[in-house]
Amino acid sequence: MSSPSPQRLDPRPAIPDYEQQEQLGELWTAVPEPARRRYRPRRGFWRLRAVRLGAVIAVLTLCALTILALVREETGTEGFLVGLGLAVLPVPLLMAAFRWLDRVDPGPWRNLLFAFAWGAFAAALVAIIANSFATEWIATATADPVSAESLGATVIAPVVEESAKAAAILLIFVFRRRTFGGLVDGVVVAGFSATGFAFTENILYLGSAFGEDQHAGSSGLASVTAATFFVRVVMSPFAHPLFTVLTGLGFGLAAMATGRQKARRVAFPLLGLALAMGMHALWNGSASLFGPFGFYAVYGGFMVPAFGLLTWLAVWSRQRELRTLSTELPAYAAAGWLAPAAPQALSSMRARTLARGYAGRTFGRRAARSVGEYEAFATSLAFLRHRAHRGVVGPDFVARERELLHHLWQRKDIAGPALTYAARATGRVWAPPPYIDYDDYNPYRQY
């Protein structure tokens, strides 16, 4: 069953009437709890969550068993365990960094874990099979195994690997469109997919290096394992994420395109993928293209600046999301749905943290969790209205907006005072000075 195409709405959709919420709330609470947790459009068999989840788990499990068996066969059991132990070290740091970028409107963990698993198992399996086949075919056709290896690493591997990692972004972009709204989402999903791929690839490289050291009797800092660990884990853990983030940016720009810009939805992802392939090819071919010091030249002159530029772009995109909150939410505050100071507090990560802390200290953990949920629903509401202003929104806009507003209404009694306190504490709104009584002193009193 094909998904409904986006429709063009009034660029300034009307805000629902807050005065009707009390009556709507009474009707809503009469619905049984499981049925009123969220808006649920009708879905075909394949769109059922259980069916999709079962199919995804089955495919990824099969890929995981196959790729891990191939890596273990290549490295041996002992090399596999050593490679696994060393390759896992940068994974939590990279995942935490990408998750930090996604704090404003965090995507579901299931999407990110799928992207990581796809990169680690499905993309790695496709890459190891396709790269080996292509390299062997080139070596047979040219009778030059050395040139075949070089060509495979410089040309074939970037095309195959970046395409395989990009498939995770494409699947989430198509099937989880509601949670994929802009540049930050593209960067985060791409980062998780590439981190998973690098994890499996590092097991192979580090395990193979350990096998070479065992055969040669090398150990310590002079070993191949130590050198491989330094280059792949210490110097360049961001290499694969950096390549694939370019593809993620392309999908992010496609997500921001309006309904009349259909060509951009295709062109931006393809352009990002082409740039990712080009950067990957430059990295793999640095030594063969620029001599023995080419790796260091490309690393210092290109990779590090590119990493810094993309990091700045990701942080800027995150700040842009916060500005979206301060732009879109005041309309709801004016209509009475939010406290007057709530938009200013919600557009500051520090104020959000203070609001949850205030609620937790005053009313307990459930209140802090309720404020956190309020912040998440308000953020989703702001982005939903922002997409409507751009002219692209699903046909369920009204139902989705009403659902989010009802969630805010349910939590307003706790979240409103907490966000007001946070906005004043951070100086985002004016706070009246505290009243001080100096022993009934009044300078205007007639004594």
Side-chain angles (χ1 to χ4, degrees), residues 86 202 205-206 208-210 212-213 218-236 283 295-296:
L86 296 176
N202 284 340
Y205 278 92
L206 290 167
S208 300
F210 180 80
E212 292 182 27
D213 290 331
S218 303
S219 61
L221 296 178
S223 63
V224 179
T225 304
T228 304
F229 178 83
F230 179 75
V231 171
R232 298 190 64 87
V233 177
V234 177
M235 284 187 64
S236 56
W283 174 255
F295 169 81
Y296 301 100

Side-chain angles (χ1 to χ4, degrees), residues 227-286:
T228 304
F229 178 83
F230 179 75
V231 171
R232 298 190 64 87
V233 177
V234 177
M235 284 187 64
S236 56
F238 58 84
H240 272 289
L242 180 60
F243 308 147
T244 313
V245 158
L246 294 173
T247 307
L249 289 174
F251 277 97
L253 292 172
M256 296 168 62
T258 64
R260 297 181 179 179
Q261 298 172 334
K262 295 182 179 180
R264 297 186 182 184
R265 294 183 180 180
V266 178
F268 282 139
L270 291 178
L271 176 61
L273 180 60
L275 292 175
M277 292 175 180
M279 183 180 289
H280 197 157
L282 177 64
W283 174 255
N284 285 2
S286 57

